[in-house]
Each structure stands twice: as C-alpha cells, then as structure tokens.
Amino acid sequence: MSSAIPPFPPIEDLTAETAAEELAWLAAEMARHDALYNEATPEISDADYDALRARNLAVEAAFPDLVRPDSPSHKVGAAVSSQFAEVRHGVPMLSLDNAFDEGEVRDFVARIARFLKLPSDEPIAFVAEPKIDGLSANLLYVDGRLTLGATRGDGRTGEDVTANLNTIADVKQTLAGDDWPDRIEIRGEVYAPNAAFAAFNAAAEAEGRRTYANPRNFAAGSLRQKDARITAKRPLNFFAYAWGEHSRDFAETQWEALQKLKAWGFPVNARSRRVEGAEGLIAVYRELERDRATLGYDIDGVVYKVDRLDWQRRLGFVARSPRWAIAHKFPAQQATTVLEGIDIQVGRTGSLTPVARLHPVTVGGVVVRNATLHNEDEIERLDVRIGDTVRLQRAGDVIPQILGVVPDLRPADA
Ligand code: IVH
C-alpha cells in the first residue's frame, strides 16, 4: 500500500477557488478509495485514508459555504473500519526502525552494547530473520484455541478477521503440545508465495477479473474479504516470528521462543539464524540477499533481534520501535526499459507533472508501466528522450524513479 498522500498547502493559503478545487478532488479521491476498499483492493493505508478525511474536514471548517453535497464528511462510518469489527491488541504491535547499510548495523550493535553497559569484548547474540513482505497478523489463543485473529491496523487496534485467518492452513485452530501459556497472542506474517500469486493473476487476467500489483497487495486483499469462502480459495501462508500478550513466560531467548512456536505447530522460517555481533548479522544479510529470488516468497530485508529476552526487556522501546530490533532493508531494485512516451498529468491544484510511459517491466516483482519525471527541469537534467532506454528503480511502495538514460542505446531519432 502506498502512502502517496500529496503534500497539502497550509489551510491559511487556500482561496475560495483552490479550496473548492481541493474539496472536489477529495470527494472524488475518497469515493475511489471507498470503492477500492469495498472490493478489498485498497491502494492506501487506513492511516492515509484517515489523513484524507481529516484534511477534508479541515478545509470544510475553513470554508463552510463550500461543503459539497457529495462530501465524504456526510458519510457516516466511512469505508475504512466499517467492514470488520475493531479489536484492541492485548499488547500493541510495534514497527521496526530501519538500517540501510552496514554502518547502520554496526551502530545498532554498538548502541545496544552501550545501553547494556557490556564490556567491549562481550559477544552479543542475535537472531537474524528474513523480513517477510506480507502483512502481520495477531492470533489470540486462549487455552490453546484460536479465539481471535486480527490485522495489525494502527498497532493498537486492528480488524477482526478471525473467520478469514481460520481458512489458512498454517494458522492453527488449536496449539500442538501442552507447554503453551493459557493466554498468548502469537504474531507473524500472512503472505502469498510468488508462484501461487502469479498463477492467480494469470487466471484472473484470462478471465477478465481484477489482478493485483504484487504478492503483498494480493495477501492483504485476500485477507480482508467480506466472504471468508473467497479467502479460503486464495493461496495464503503464515510464518510465526513474535508474540504479544502472554500469561506466563515460556522462553529465555528469541531462538528458544521460535523453537516453541514451531513445536506448537506454526511454520517458522527455516532461514532464520542465531549469530553473534554485527559481522554475524551482515553475513546472514549477504546470504539472504544472494538467495532472495529463489526463496519462493518476497522478503524486503532481514530483521535482527537481540536473542536474550531479559536484554530485550532492559532495552525496551523508543517511541514505537523496540531498541532491541532493527530491519536491515535490501536496496531498491533496478531495471532498464524503453521510454515509450511522456504524458502530462494535471494535478489537483492545476499543477502539471510529466509522467514517463514505459514499456512494461518487472522490477522487484512488480510490473512498472509509469514513472514520475517530476518536472521539466528533471527531464532536462536526465536528458531523457522518447525512445531512450532508461534505468529505473523501485523501493518498497515508493513511486518508481527514473535514474538515467543508457546513452549507447539511444536511437538516432530519439
Ligand atoms: S518483528 C517488535 N520479525 O515487519 C517487532 N517483523 O517493520 C515486531 N515483519 O509489522 C516485528 N518479517 O509486519 C518481525 N521476522 C520478522 C518480520 C517482521 C516481517 C514485518 C511485520 C512488522 C514489520 C515491521
């Protein structure tokens, strides 16, 4: 899901004319997102949807005469969160800080040693786990039975998708073994394997049905179906890697906890490793980066977690991320393709943006057909012409970027 909410001008800068334009745009845009949401193919996160709603209210408050008959503010219980019941997680589901290079990984390890006041030669053990590119789910087990399954939502409150999660074979209805806490939230990632995703899209395309941009959108759309019978037909899997609320402690290390999750019946990623120090982490990262394309499912980095749970507790959290874990992200994926044309997109405020129309190319598992060229200066800077072969990159959800031209491949008539 993208977080592509345009930067809005300050309310004080709006005139009646630009405010009216913006309200028209917001009404159309939110209606579009409502429709996408109701088809379980949302393009934006709930938080971004809420940002649009808040902006609409703020503009209307400043220009009450301009409130439109089709204003999203007239719609009670907007599309997001109306479909599934809201559930509060027993313990919030946090996010992770990112590291983008090896220096940041070494800083992370050094920070931990400093915080724990460890002597410089004391080895710190970590678990390095593939960062699965799906969506996280929270599974509450009471007396070993799955009683509630929820999406992450905003981290505190998610959506009750128990019926849908129940259709995933990897999500156990009852825990195996008998050494589980009476009450435990088990957390992990719902994802779609690449081959199954490609097969679904191929069949959907052949039958003229909707296709999905990537396995993650597909997994998210599939998990948020109103009718769980549709979810049941979708190829979804689950990896367990964390836990929330628990009525008693059940492990002393992250590694031991993963073995417990496995013993209770969950798939646990076989590529996770217990290693020491920054060099150990970086070695796992390089291996996973090398093998990434052959895993059969998308990963977007490696998550490093301090192994000892007593150290995790001492390290605690800063804002919404644990001090004891970090996500080491893979660099943006690159590809080359041919620039077939340049369209001019007219923005909400009348601004003009050139958009590159590209020969479709797969970059990091996503088919890219367009990329922003930002403005005329950027076209000049890149010296990009129609017919050129261009290098482009895509990082996560970010709009694909054109990095430059391959000069040797420029046709004479470009
Ligand atoms: S641990 C407090 N482990 O990454 C730590 N997260 O950016 C909680 N993810 O929301 C997360 N693979 O959806 C953890 N092996 C893994 C993961 C993982 C994927 C996702 C998860 C989380 C996001 C954090």
Side-chain angles (χ1 to χ4, degrees), residues 399-410:
I399 301 167
Q401 302 279 322
I402 294 196
L403 300 172
V405 169
V406 185
D408 294 350
L409 297 179
R410 170 168 289 171

Side-chain angles (χ1 to χ4, degrees), residues 94-96 129-132 135-136 152 189 241-242 303 305 317 322 324-325 327:
L94 300 149
S95 50
L96 294 172
E129 305 171 4
K131 186 171 188 298
I132 315 298
L135 68 153
S136 48
R152 178 176 183 278
E189 206 82 354
Y241 52 67
V303 181
K305 303 174 181 177
F317 303 87
W324 46 266

Side-chain angles (χ1 to χ4, degrees), residues 150-305:
T151 61
R152 178 176 183 278
D154 65 4
R156 286 190 170 278
T157 307
E159 291 174 315
D160 179 349
V161 287
T162 313
N164 305 49
L165 284 164
N166 260 323
T167 70
I168 303 176
D170 290 344
V171 172
K172 299 296 151 196
Q173 312 260 333
T174 54
L175 298 178
D178 56 10
D179 60 342
W180 22 263
D182 294 340
R183 194 179 164 87
I184 182 167
E185 288 180 321
I186 290 174
R187 294 174 175 175
E189 206 82 354
V190 174
Y191 68 97
N194 295 135
F197 163 71
F200 176 92
N201 259 2
E205 188 147 14
E207 292 160 26
R209 286 182 288 121
R210 161 185 306 275
T211 58
Y212 289 86
N214 56 49
R216 184 162 53 99
N217 286 3
F218 174 69
S222 299
L223 193 62
R224 297 172 82 203
Q225 292 287 331
K226 266 186 221 163
D227 183 349
R229 285 170 303 185
I230 297 179
T231 310
K233 291 187 195 141
R234 301 286 176 88
L236 297 178
N237 287 83
F238 180 78
F239 276 126
Y241 52 67
W243 60 96
E245 185 188 344
H246 50 294
S247 53
R248 65 172 173 79
D249 290 341
F250 56 94
E252 289 186 357
T253 62
Q254 173 72 19
W255 190 251
E256 194 194 343
L258 290 178
Q259 310 317 310
K260 286 276 164 86
L261 293 174
K262 195 169 167 185
W264 298 339
F266 290 101
V268 168
N269 197 289
R271 299 293 303 251
S272 296
R273 297 278 180 271
R274 186 180 177 280
V275 293
E276 278 178 7
E279 299 319 309
L281 295 173
I282 289 164
V284 179
Y285 176 89
R286 291 191 182 147
E287 270 181 36
L288 282 168
E289 192 181 24
R290 183 194 65 201
D291 299 345
R292 185 178 179 186
T294 62
L295 294 177
Y297 46 85
D298 282 358
I299 66 173
D300 58 343
V302 187
V303 181
Y304 306 146
K305 303 174 181 177

